[in-house]
Amino acid sequence: MSSSQIEIPARGGNITSVPAPAPATEQRKGLTKKELAADHPTWCPGCGDFSVLALYFKLIEKRRLDHEKITTIAGIGCSSRFPYFLQANGVHFIHGRALPFASGVSLSRPDLHVFVFGGDGDAFSIGGNHFNHTARKNVKMTYVVMDNWVYGLTKKQTSPTSPIGFKSKTDVTGAMDQPINPMKQAISAGATFVARTTHTNPNHVLQMMEAAMDHEGFSFVECLSECVEFYEGAFDASNPRKGGVFNTVPDTHDVTDEVAAYKLAGEPFPGYFGIFYKATRPTKNANEAKIIASAREKTKDLKDWQILQKSFDRLK
Ligand SMILES: Cc1ncc(C[n+]2csc(CCOP(=O)(O)OP(=O)(O)O)c2C)c(N)n1
Ligand code: SF4
Ligand SMILES: [Mg+2]
């Protein structure tokens, strides 16, 4: 194999080689926002999701990611329309099932960093179990949940993060169930990187997305993203331009201290913004790569079809 090729474990653990793309910094010009932007976003004017998309463009530009290195996956919801608005590889998948799809991409393509975007309903209602299991398995990817405390796409139902008292089409007299705290949920599920940001602070969103991308494991970012149509003003208390306060995680906070992170997550709204928790634990990607390497070692003299034949023979 030449140095311009990379090895990619294909399905079933076989190794295939594909031409390695030239490093962007040496031979290729970085992408611009104009080249990255696809369809005109169909979000309502003023929706917080616009700024998250703009910052993702910025991240791609800043990190000089080439088209074939961009992988954006989402479920269903206003926020989950995200991949449509990007001129790059992406998937708008089944409601709540973005994480299993993203896990498959992440495990089979170690040369990519997978980004998943979605809403609070997608993440914590229908996709709740996938969230927990992807976190505990520590699959390498970044999951940005654009939390607007409501189901936007389906026009104002109570979401798992809607606060008690929120009036919606499913709770006409006000929500009465204890809402999920995304940060607590992520920490207790086993996510190894847990951060919080808000669409009204663009520099901070970019900073959190970059830190998440650099993390070796499952990185989770809760990004408050206002639904101006169905929950206007939800996050005013966290926005200094609306008389609120934006408090960053105190310098004294130890990000490796799980209990301290959990406590920080329990602070009443608007709470804190920044990295709450960061731990080092083997990723599923690394664990699986080891198994594949050891299996390949044992079968190195065999062709792929011979390995397959052996499996069929064992079934007889
Ligand atoms: C299996 C399934 N159940 C329900 C729906 C209807 N549905 C589409 S999006 C959505 C909730 C979206 O809320 P959220 O994830 O918070 O995204 P937002 O629109 O607020 O960004 C629901 C219930 C669906 N598309 N598929
Ligand atoms: S309904 Fe809400 S979440 Fe959906 S695009 Fe409009 S403002 Fe954004
Ligand atoms: Mg929502």
Side-chain angles (χ1 to χ4, degrees):
M1 187 184 303
S2 78
S3 60
S4 63
Q5 297 204 307
I6 51 169
E7 280 193 343
I8 292 174
R11 243 178 116 194
N14 297 326
I15 305 287
T16 53
S17 65
V18 297
T25 43
E26 279 171 38
Q27 292 157 30
R28 293 167 72 177
K29 172 177 102 34
L31 292 165
T32 62
K33 185 182 166 192
K34 205 171 160 204
E35 289 161 320
L36 288 166
D39 256 353
H40 180 69
T42 48
W43 292 314
C44 308
C47 176
D49 296 354
F50 279 103
S51 74
V52 186
L53 179 67
L55 291 156
Y56 189 48
F57 286 151
K58 240 195 182 126
L59 175 97
I60 293 169
E61 277 185 65
K62 191 170 169 197
R63 293 301 183 100
R64 301 288 297 263
L65 297 181
D66 290 321
H67 267 132
E68 71 279 4
K69 291 290 182 193
I70 304 166
T71 315
T72 319
I73 297 170
I76 301 288
C78 290
S79 40
S80 293
R81 285 175 179 264
F82 210 90
Y84 274 136
F85 309 139
L86 226 88
Q87 188 59 44
N89 295 320
V91 182
H92 187 217
F93 199 50
I94 308 167
H95 192 27
R97 270 66 185 168
L99 291 180
F101 190 96
S103 297
V105 178
S106 170
L107 292 170
S108 57
R109 289 292 305 268
D111 57 316
L112 301 177
H113 185 83
V114 178
F115 268 90
V116 184
F117 291 88
D120 37 311
D122 198 72
F124 303 118
S125 279
I126 195 165
N129 259 341
H130 294 307
F131 179 77
N132 287 333
H133 294 293
T134 313
R136 80 179 170 85
K137 290 175 184 179
N138 201 23
V139 185
K140 184 169 164 47
M141 68 176 79
T142 295
Y143 188 22
V144 179
V145 172
M146 294 141 85
D147 191 359
N148 55 12
W149 292 355
V150 67
Y151 290 178
L153 186 76
T154 44
K155 305 187 174 180
K156 203 176 187 178
Q157 291 82 25
T158 299
S159 102
T161 55
S162 301
I164 290 174
F166 173 64
K167 288 191 179 148
S168 74
K169 285 177 186 150
T170 43
D171 276 303
V172 287
T173 58
M176 54 189 124
D177 302 321
Q178 175 70 19
I180 277 178
N181 177 321
M183 304 300 281
K184 282 187 172 179
Q185 182 97 355
I187 296 161
S188 50
T192 49
F193 178 101
V194 181
R196 184 164 180 259
T197 187
T198 170
H199 78 100
T200 51
N201 192 329
N203 290 339
H204 195 263
V205 176
L206 185 61
Q207 209 186 320
M208 292 303 107
M209 286 206 293
E210 280 202 86
M213 184 182 175
D214 291 338
H215 177 69
E216 191 61 28
F218 181 77
S219 50
F220 168 73
V221 180
E222 181 199 16
C223 180
L224 304 180
S225 182
E226 185 177 343
C227 172
V228 290
E229 191 66 26
F230 300 118
Y231 207 151
E232 200 181 1
F235 308 128
D236 283 1
S238 64
N239 183 358
R241 283 190 296 274
K242 298 267 178 82
V245 281
F246 177 84
N247 284 329
T248 51
V249 167
D251 291 342
T252 49
H253 174 65
D254 175 4
V255 292
T256 64
D257 184 338
E258 191 176 332
V259 175
Y262 197 85
K263 261 193 180 163
L264 205 62
E267 288 291 326
F269 193 81
Y272 291 94
F273 295 91
I275 301 169
F276 282 41
Y277 185 59
K278 190 166 159 55
T280 308
R281 204 175 74 228
T283 59
K284 186 160 185 70
N285 307 59
N287 289 338
E288 284 204 348
K290 263 192 226 156
I291 294 173
I292 292 167
S294 109
R296 289 305 305 184
E297 184 56 34
K298 286 185 203 139
T299 56
K300 64 179 175 215
D301 299 327
L302 298 177
K303 297 205 172 348
D304 286 355
W305 70 265
Q306 289 173 312
I307 299 169
L308 200 60
Q309 186 62 52
K310 272 177 171 270
S311 302
F312 283 129
D313 289 345
R314 272 199 304 273
L315 295 175
K316 276 182 190 161

